[in-house]
Amino acid sequence: MINAVKSKFTSIFFLTIILAYMFFNFQGLSSFLVTSDSDNIESIRKSIENAAVQCYALEGHYPPSIDYLKENYSIITNEDAYIYHYEVEASNIMPTILVFKKWKE
């Protein structure tokens, strides 16, 4: 009788450990995916910023639009996945560059 209770307790204990392990692995994976997404967005923003700085160094002014960077500095954008905000205040002031991930429906 004691062995049956002990065996049942051991089974429940190991099942609980396995479920907890799976839960925390899933939480870690989802956290990794969110971090990876934000890293991608920052990398894209930095690439556009670097191209704008390169334009300023070579031409003496910041590019007037992101399309100018696409045509002259080989910037490739993915309009299906991201929204790009590129705002120029003056030709000698660094433009505001923002990148947002589009929601999938």
Side-chain angles (χ1 to χ4, degrees):
M1 173 90 163
I2 293 177
N3 285 338
V5 171
K6 190 175 184 181
S7 175
K8 193 172 192 177
F9 175 76
T10 304
S11 298
I12 292 173
F13 177 73
F14 281 120
L15 181 62
T16 304
I17 296 294
I18 289 171
L19 289 174
Y21 177 79
M22 289 172 49
F23 173 76
F24 287 116
N25 274 339
F26 178 74
Q27 291 292 12
L29 179 63
S30 65
S31 172
F32 170 76
L33 293 175
V34 169
T35 302
S36 178
D37 234 12
S38 64
D39 289 346
N40 286 343
I41 291 172
E42 182 60 22
S43 175
I44 292 167
R45 191 194 68 75
K46 273 304 238 188
S47 296
I48 296 170
E49 184 178 283
N50 290 341
V53 169
Q54 184 179 12
C55 177
Y56 184 77
L58 295 173
E59 299 179 22
H61 61 85
Y62 285 105
S65 68
I66 201 162
D67 291 328
Y68 185 86
L69 290 174
K70 288 184 205 177
E71 293 169 13
N72 299 298
Y73 290 89
S74 301
I75 290 294
I76 299 171
T77 59
N78 183 352
E79 306 290 335
D80 294 331
Y82 298 98
I83 299 170
Y84 302 93
H85 175 78
Y86 187 89
E87 183 179 356
V88 178
E89 294 180 33
S91 65
N92 63 340
I93 297 175
M94 175 68 125
T96 303
I97 301 167
L98 301 172
V99 179
F100 302 98
K101 185 166 180 66
K102 287 185 178 179
W103 288 98
K104 295 180 182 175
E105 292 188 33

